Amino acid sequence: MSATVTTATGVQLGYARVSTGHQSLDQQLDALAAAGVEPDRIYTDKLSGNSAREQRPGLAALLDYARPGDAIVVVGIDRLGRNAAEVMQTIRELGECNIVLRSLREGIDTSNATGRMVAGVLASLAELELELGRERRTAAREARRARGQAIGRPKALDPAKAALARRMQASGEPVTTIATALGVSRATIYRVLAED
């Protein structure tokens, strides 16, 4: 994290996110309003199961709107992403842009030294988590390879069913019918047929 001291001198912006359609933003919106964020300055996302930023238009719009000196307020830092690495990437981006982050639940405020230190520790832990995950996946692949076991996801159709799909297609069956008959998706059938 940068040693630059950032203070909130601009606009206070809010961000709220829920991951499923049956969850409500109300509790987060109320907490942000109680923290002094104007309702028209709160950005929201619903149903953001995908990590990709383009799948969270509210966060993308917020980050595009925010300027140096502004403060982004969230109920909890977990609202900034689906996993620790994504959260920390967002926190880093905010720091690089001199935008303050305030998290109500964790009491983080990056406009002061303690808040920046806590965010830095969280960033380090997220990086450690990613590195340990990579090491575990590599070790698991090597162990499978050493035992002569298959690596990766198994094919949806074995060679006999793939041949049947090709015969059905050659006899004029539509892809939807083939997929239903074999219990797989149409994309799987298209992929098998493209392997010819």
Side-chain angles (χ1 to χ4, degrees), residues 46-59:
K46 269 191 161 188
L47 294 171
S48 55
N50 192 319
S51 290
R53 187 149 296 156
E54 59 271 9
Q55 297 296 323
R56 293 181 290 148
L59 180 61

Side-chain angles (χ1 to χ4, degrees), residues 16 24-37 39 42 44 75 104:
S24 170
L25 289 165
D26 292 345
Q27 183 180 9
Q28 291 179 61
L29 296 176
D30 292 346
L32 292 171
V37 180
I42 298 174
T44 62
V75 172
L104 303 176

Side-chain angles (χ1 to χ4, degrees), residues 21-189:
H22 69 272
Q23 291 178 330
S24 170
L25 289 165
D26 292 345
Q27 183 180 9
Q28 291 179 61
L29 296 176
D30 292 346
L32 292 171
V37 180
E38 296 294 326
D40 62 337
R41 301 278 188 195
I42 298 174
Y43 294 77
T44 62
D45 280 317
K46 269 191 161 188
L47 294 171
S48 55
N50 192 319
S51 290
R53 187 149 296 156
E54 59 271 9
Q55 297 296 323
R56 293 181 290 148
L59 180 61
L62 169 63
L63 295 175
D64 187 52
Y65 180 83
R67 298 291 176 255
D70 288 350
I72 293 178
V73 182
V74 292
V75 172
I77 61 169
D78 62 321
R79 299 297 84 203
L80 294 173
R82 299 285 294 170
N83 56 51
E86 194 173 287
V87 169
M88 296 323 304
Q89 178 186 350
T90 303
I91 290 174
R92 258 192 229 103
E93 288 174 13
L94 295 176
E96 290 167 3
C97 296
N98 291 320
I99 297 169
V100 171
L101 172 67
R102 291 195 180 112
S103 175
L104 303 176
R105 183 184 318 130
E106 293 88 1
I108 295 172
D109 182 341
T110 61
S111 69
N112 64 53
T114 303
R116 287 190 298 278
M117 189 255 334
V118 170
V121 169
L122 291 174
S124 296
L125 290 173
E127 287 174 16
L128 177 63
E129 176 186 324
L130 282 176
E131 184 61 32
L132 291 174
R134 278 192 290 269
E135 288 176 8
R136 283 191 298 269
R137 289 188 296 276
T138 300
R141 276 193 305 274
E142 292 305 317
R144 291 186 68 76
R145 189 173 286 124
R147 289 178 175 79
Q149 297 173 333
I151 298 172
R153 190 173 166 183
K155 293 204 176 272
L157 293 179
D158 61 29
K161 286 186 178 179
L164 175 59
R166 288 186 196 94
R167 287 195 305 273
M168 290 175 76
Q169 194 249 351
S171 69
E173 291 292 337
V175 170
T176 303
T177 303
I178 300 170
T180 302
L182 297 177
V184 295
S185 70
R186 291 182 319 194
T188 298
I189 299 300

